[in-house]
Amino acid sequence: MEAKPSNSPKSFIDQSVAPGDVVLDLSSMANQTIKLGGGLRQDCDSISVMKSGKLRFVKPNKYWVESSQKRYVPCVGDNVLGIVVDSKADNFLVDIKGPALAFLPVLAFEGGTRRNIPKFEMGTLLYVRVVKANTGMNPELSCTDATGKAAEYGPLKDSYMFESSTGLARLLLSSPTCPVLEALGKKLSFEIAIGLNGRVWVHADSPSSVILVSNAIMNSESLSEVQQKIMVDKLLQRVQ
Amino acid sequence: MEHRLANTWWMTVNEKKFIETTLLSDLRIDGRRPFDYRRLTIKFGRDDGSSEVQLGQTHVMAFVTSQLVQPYRDRPNEGTVSIYTEFSPMADPSFEAGRPGESSVELGRIIDRGLRESRAVDMESLCVIAGKLVWAIRIDLHILDNAGNLVDAANIAALTALSTFRRPECTLGGEDGQEVIIHPPEVREPHPLIIHHLPIAVTFGFFGDENIMVIDPTHKEESVMRGRMIVTLNTNGDVCAIQKAGGVGVMQSVIMQCLRIASVKAADMTSKIKNAVESYNTERALRKIKRHSSSAALDVNKPDVKLENQNQSVDQKEIGDLSGHHVERLKLISEERGVSHSNSMEGLRQSPEQDKTTRDVNSKGADFDVVETSLALHGALIPNTKLEESRREKPSEADPGQLLADLEPAPSPDGAVETGEQTNGKKTLVDAVKPKHKRRKKKSSNIDAS
């Protein structure tokens, strides 16, 4: 691909970029501080792309490359859905779809002491927060927020969980609300927990609603807004 | 140990309970009803006898090849069918490369039993010389993606590949009538296998305690189900095989009900397979018709020509491979004779066709010297054709405006595989490929030499 050392970074924002593209020329932006997120790298005066995806920019000065994968790379601060695989003396071993199993300390719960350690059987679904994520080490999780309160973290009971890509999870979490969720929410009532690692938990009163919601979401990643709404309408019509 | 744990696929308690409870109300997690199959897509490769089947997200490929071998002692006039499965690690995190696991062996056995016990493929027509040479049919199944119900998908793939496979025709000849000449597809049309019926495998999954069963379970349903039964039957109402390896016990009435449902599904599946095979056959026949069109038409239909050339040449290579391995070793002399025999035949046959196509087939190693002196080209991408002996006799044929063939050194000692490249001289492909000029020079030098 042609490397355009463009002076107007706006030409690349929200565009698909490939590794090797030069997207910013720092010599033209002398007194600014720029924050680079994932997928970008600085080579002297130019910022080049390392990962293929879409270049994103948020004011005032954050740039990063966003792509959608099935695998998850743990990042500090992410809210993910994990599955308990094993329990040791000090930690629970939790699978978060990353390269390594994550540790959830046994005391990382609100009001957690040695006396009231929760018992999770194998296969329990948890909504957790990533506390430490260094390459090569097992990530560390927590079931409390930064202040120590429980705040929605913890085991998710019943209902259904499915796996999708990280891009879809980000789409579902975006604001304004994703069109699929909006269209579904108008007709059905359901509860949903989205993990940035691509896992989504859906809960509704009737199993058919759960199935409908989960299938609608799974199909909606590559569709545009209008297409998503049409798809949801068709699905709802078939059921009713 | 931990690393392996991280790469496996985990099932949550929530999903298990959910799948079981929704099945009580006849709902499945992908919205199907309990006795619905997922969407079936059957595609064929360019070779005869290769098929690709997608059942939902489950993806299986099948390839059928044949070889001449000595028959088993207790069945001297029957050919053999053998099935090899390859569970690629990209299909599922639990598949490992190398040693076949239990499920891989089971899958191979089920499909094999369905074909062999029911005598779906006619074995006696595969006999060439009783007691000495028979055709051994080999089916290779490659599992590309495991989204549940591999057995059904692999069975359909095997059946469609068998239905479209053609084995080369061979005749007895030579001095004492004991030498076998294998004819390349251009000389004699290869034969399809005689398949009496299609044994279709239908998989049932059993859940819970109340005899809930589903057809065509997905990957998640397979981890939740408590028992599995695979029924192989055909449209004539014959039950070819039943496999139930452990799992939860089922009542006899449930088994009979499964058989009834399976026969309905088998009829449906058979008609789909037959439609797909028919459309493939008509397409193949159409391709053959273009083979004898004029060169002007060839210019226009260049992509089609390339397609059929590749088809021809791949057939050729296939035959070269299979015949090369066995017949060459068994009867080398006869092949030489057969070669000269067919060459002279082709030489005669060639003349009316020289204007039309110079793509003639030389079956065996008569072109060793030409082969050795020419260069290799892009290998697999280039359609393989064989340089005709008679082309040497008529160097004018090598001019642009006719189809050219270039040679590649035969890698195997049997020399049966000669590859070349075809281009239409008027088009830019000739210009695009540099070594062509070298080859032309070498060919002309060979022509001069010979």
Side-chain angles (χ1 to χ4, degrees):
Chain A
M1 285 190 63
E2 320 92 56
K4 287 187 262 177
S6 63
N7 291 325
S8 52
K10 293 200 174 109
S11 62
F12 274 115
I13 292 175
D14 284 339
Q15 300 281 323
S16 301
V17 288
D21 291 354
V22 176
V23 294
L24 277 186
D25 191 12
L26 293 178
S27 52
S28 63
M29 317 155 85
N31 289 332
Q32 299 174 23
T33 322
I34 296 180
K35 290 189 183 170
L36 296 181
L40 291 173
R41 179 200 148 137
Q42 180 183 11
D43 282 323
C44 300
D45 259 356
S46 62
I47 307 289
S48 53
V49 175
M50 284 198 297
K51 196 166 72 157
S52 54
K54 281 206 171 140
L55 182 67
R56 295 249 181 258
F57 170 67
V58 154
K59 288 184 185 176
N61 53 3
K62 291 185 199 159
Y63 293 93
W64 75 96
V65 178
E66 212 171 74
S67 56
S68 173
Q69 284 129 297
K70 274 190 173 172
R71 290 181 191 271
Y72 168 65
V73 176
C75 266
V76 179
D78 283 354
N79 295 331
V80 294
L81 261 65
I83 302 178
V84 176
V85 167
D86 201 2
S87 59
K88 297 268 168 79
D90 280 340
N91 308 312
F92 294 107
L93 294 182
V94 178
D95 166 65
I96 52 172
K97 273 177 87 172
L101 290 177
F103 294 151
L104 172 61
V106 157
L107 302 172
F109 296 86
E110 185 176 1
T113 60
R114 276 274 155 203
R115 292 183 186 230
N116 55 355
I117 296 174
K119 290 198 185 108
F120 295 135
E121 58 169 343
M122 257 188 65
T124 312
L125 187 64
L126 301 170
Y127 188 64
V128 290
R129 180 175 65 97
V130 178
V131 170
K132 276 195 217 164
N134 299 316
T135 50
M137 287 170 51
N138 299 68
E140 224 184 82
L141 309 171
S142 167
C143 264
T144 67
D145 63 7
T147 59
K149 306 276 180 182
E152 313 287 340
Y153 295 112
L156 294 167
K157 292 211 168 63
D158 292 334
S159 205
Y160 182 59
M161 189 240 1
F162 62 91
E163 296 193 2
S164 64
S165 64
T166 52
L168 181 63
R170 279 195 303 262
L171 183 73
L172 293 171
L173 286 169
S174 60
S175 63
T177 323
C178 171
V180 178
L181 292 178
E182 227 183 279
L184 285 169
K186 282 186 192 156
K187 298 284 172 72
L188 303 168
S189 72
F190 58 94
E191 196 186 338
I192 186 168
I194 302 159
L196 278 163
N197 55 351
R199 288 194 175 135
V200 180
W201 175 84
V202 180
H203 178 69
D205 298 320
S206 69
S208 55
S209 318
V210 173
I211 293 173
L212 200 125
V213 170
S214 56
N215 282 315
I217 294 174
M218 278 197 268
N219 292 337
S220 66
E221 182 172 6
S222 51
L223 301 177
S224 71
E225 270 194 42
V226 180
Q227 285 171 326
Q228 285 177 16
K229 285 191 191 135
I230 296 173
M231 176 202 49
V232 171
D233 286 335
K234 273 195 203 158
L235 273 178
L236 288 169
Q237 268 172 20
R238 271 213 298 181
V239 172
Q240 277 139 16
Chain B
M1 200 265 296
E2 228 186 66
H3 182 72
R4 272 188 76 196
L5 281 180
N7 281 332
T8 48
W9 176 79
W10 302 100
M11 187 80 173
T12 52
V13 165
N14 314 38
E15 283 171 281
K16 262 200 194 118
K17 272 194 217 153
F18 185 73
I19 291 175
E20 284 175 354
T21 40
T22 50
L23 273 173
L24 288 173
S25 34
D26 268 0
L27 268 179
R28 293 166 82 172
I29 44 171
D30 49 358
R32 280 189 287 161
R33 286 172 317 182
F35 299 130
D36 280 348
Y37 259 99
R38 287 172 286 182
R39 186 157 61 141
L40 177 68
T41 323
I42 301 177
K43 281 189 229 167
F44 296 96
R46 224 175 272 135
D47 300 352
D48 288 329
S50 70
S51 71
E52 191 183 312
V53 168
Q54 271 185 293
L55 186 61
Q57 294 285 333
T58 303
H59 205 145
V60 179
M61 282 182 100
F63 296 95
V64 178
T65 48
S66 60
Q67 263 188 15
L68 279 176
V69 294
Q70 276 195 326
Y72 290 117
R73 288 228 190 93
D74 53 345
R75 292 190 206 278
N77 55 350
E78 277 186 16
T80 57
V81 170
S82 46
I83 300 189
Y84 294 86
T85 56
E86 224 184 272
F87 275 44
S88 164
M90 71 176 164
D92 192 281
S94 60
F95 294 167
E96 283 169 31
R99 244 191 128 157
E102 195 186 298
S103 52
S104 155
V105 172
E106 193 187 6
L107 186 136
R109 279 292 298 141
I110 295 171
I111 299 179
D112 183 75
R113 209 186 310 143
L115 287 173
R116 192 190 303 274
E117 306 284 327
S118 61
R119 299 173 199 278
V121 181
D122 188 78
M123 300 293 193
E124 285 171 13
S125 63
L126 296 176
C127 174
V128 180
I129 300 177
K132 290 203 189 150
L133 277 185
V134 295
W135 286 107
I137 306 291
R138 176 187 165 127
I139 308 176
D140 282 285
L141 294 164
H142 295 265
I143 312 292
L144 302 177
D145 202 355
N146 177 21
N149 199 11
L150 286 174
V151 176
D152 290 9
N155 194 45
I156 296 172
L159 290 174
T160 45
L162 281 173
S163 309
T164 56
F165 173 68
R166 312 253 159 162
R167 62 168 176 82
E169 169 159 359
C170 48
T171 51
L172 297 176
E175 288 176 350
D176 53 354
Q178 283 298 307
E179 277 114 10
V180 177
I181 306 162
I182 300 178
H183 298 281
E186 277 79 13
V187 180
R188 301 266 181 100
E189 184 63 23
H191 292 303
L193 296 174
I194 300 178
I195 299 177
H196 297 299
H197 61 93
L198 293 174
I200 308 284
V202 179
T203 303
F204 290 87
F206 300 113
F207 295 84
D209 292 325
E210 290 153 21
N211 294 327
I212 303 170
M213 56 188 160
V214 298
I215 281 192
D216 190 17
T218 55
H219 192 36
K220 287 192 179 177
E221 288 169 344
E222 279 188 346
S223 359
V224 177
M225 72 186 178
R226 301 187 41 207
R228 176 171 86 147
M229 183 167 80
I230 300 160
V231 177
T232 311
L233 32 70
N234 62 18
T235 44
N236 304 335
D238 307 321
V239 175
C240 306
I242 301 184
Q243 167 99 354
K244 186 181 185 304
V248 73
V250 276
M251 314 266 285
Q252 182 195 8
S253 52
V254 171
I255 294 188
M256 295 310 292
Q257 189 191 3
C258 288
L259 289 175
R260 266 177 250 126
I261 298 169
S263 62
V264 173
K265 293 292 168 189
D268 188 33
M269 201 63 75
T270 310
S271 61
K272 281 189 194 158
I273 294 177
K274 286 201 170 146
N275 289 342
V277 170
E278 246 182 65
S279 61
Y280 172 78
N281 285 334
T282 42
E283 204 196 303
R284 190 176 180 277
L286 283 175
R287 270 190 266 151
K288 279 199 323 153
I289 291 169
K290 283 193 183 141
R291 184 153 66 121
H292 296 296
S293 58
S294 66
S295 58
L298 281 171
D299 291 348
V300 170
N301 296 330
K302 183 166 167 266
D304 299 322
V305 167
K306 280 202 98 62
L307 187 71
E308 76 193 30
N309 291 346
Q310 288 173 346
N311 187 34
Q312 300 293 338
S313 54
V314 174
D315 282 336
Q316 194 54 50
K317 190 165 158 219
E318 197 186 299
I319 288 154
D321 284 339
L322 58 91
S323 55
H325 289 301
H326 281 265
V327 183
E328 283 257 5
R329 283 186 206 128
L330 294 174
K331 298 189 192 325
L332 194 59
I333 306 164
S334 71
E335 275 172 43
E336 297 280 342
R337 269 188 246 156
V339 157
S340 49
H341 177 74
S342 60
N343 269 349
S344 56
M345 267 175 58
E346 282 163 34
L348 293 172
R349 200 184 62 110
Q350 263 302 291
S351 24
E353 288 183 3
Q354 279 306 343
D355 298 328
K356 299 182 180 179
T357 148
T358 55
R359 227 183 339 99
D360 292 306
V361 180
N362 185 3
S363 56
K364 301 299 174 273
D367 285 334
F368 273 149
D369 46 351
V370 185
V371 163
E372 279 155 25
T373 52
S374 49
L375 291 173
L377 239 204
H378 324 289
L381 293 180
I382 310 298
N384 302 329
T385 53
K386 300 205 173 180
L387 187 61
E388 241 287 354
E389 244 190 289
S390 55
R391 191 175 288 115
R392 280 193 258 166
E393 298 155 20
K394 299 192 181 185
S396 57
E397 296 300 334
D399 293 339
Q402 299 284 348
L403 295 170
L404 293 171
D406 293 312
L407 292 183
E408 205 179 279
S412 52
D414 43 25
V417 179
E418 296 172 42
T419 57
E421 189 194 23
Q422 279 206 2
T423 54
N424 196 326
K426 290 174 192 165
K427 303 289 177 181
T428 55
L429 203 60
V430 178
D431 307 321
V433 179
K434 270 192 217 165
K436 276 201 86 52
H437 300 295
K438 280 190 207 164
R439 209 165 290 107
R440 254 191 250 162
K441 281 184 206 160
K442 293 222 171 188
K443 202 168 51 187
S444 54
S445 68
N446 285 326
I447 290 165
D448 296 337
S450 65

